[in-house]
Amino acid sequence: MDQAMRSAVNRVELAELSDTDEGTPAPEERTAPTWLVQVPYVLVLSALAAGVVIVAAAYFKRGPAVIAGALLLAAAFRAFLPAEWIGMLAVRRRWVDLVTLATMAVLLIVLAWVAPQLSS
């Protein structure tokens, strides 16, 4: 009987240790996997790369518009997703990131609007 009691106590102690900082976190405290957290960042980088490719193909009105769209997408992710899900898009405080991304997007839209169309 004494052996069974010790075994039960050891199982309870192990269960308690697994919920502390030393063990695995409790299920309600788990965050998203690391790769899933970076999905918004990868989406924004993909859109930025597409914009750069479009500019390199000599479409100077469409390229900055695509890049501005990518920056607006980053601003939307930063505004609506929690900090644990945003990954490397969270650089500074939320409002600083939003103002910076929105300002750069507006400036690129203006640039795309006023840029002269090159004739082929």
Side-chain angles (χ1 to χ4, degrees):
M1 176 113 164
D2 195 29
Q3 181 71 11
M5 190 67 126
R6 284 185 198 157
S7 176
V9 168
N10 285 341
R11 275 187 259 129
V12 169
E13 287 175 352
L14 287 175
E16 288 174 357
L17 282 177
S18 68
D19 289 340
T20 63
D21 291 341
E22 296 170 6
T24 59
E28 62 272 4
E29 296 175 8
R30 290 188 181 141
T31 59
T34 306
W35 67 270
L36 189 60
V37 170
Q38 300 305 330
V39 168
Y41 182 69
V42 170
L43 289 174
V44 170
L45 279 183
S46 299
L48 285 172
V52 169
V53 167
I54 292 170
V55 169
Y59 293 102
F60 297 112
K61 283 186 162 290
R62 292 183 196 148
V66 171
I67 294 171
L71 291 173
L72 289 176
L73 179 66
F77 283 150
R78 188 68 175 111
F80 297 116
L81 290 178
E84 297 84 29
W85 294 3
I86 208 63
M88 290 191 293
L89 285 177
V91 178
R92 297 162 294 270
R93 292 185 177 163
R94 184 180 299 249
W95 67 271
V96 174
D97 285 342
L98 287 172
V99 168
T100 303
L101 289 167
T103 302
M104 291 181 68
V106 168
L107 290 174
L108 277 171
I109 290 170
V110 169
L111 174 69
W113 190 18
V114 300
Q117 183 66 35
L118 297 177
S119 60
S120 297

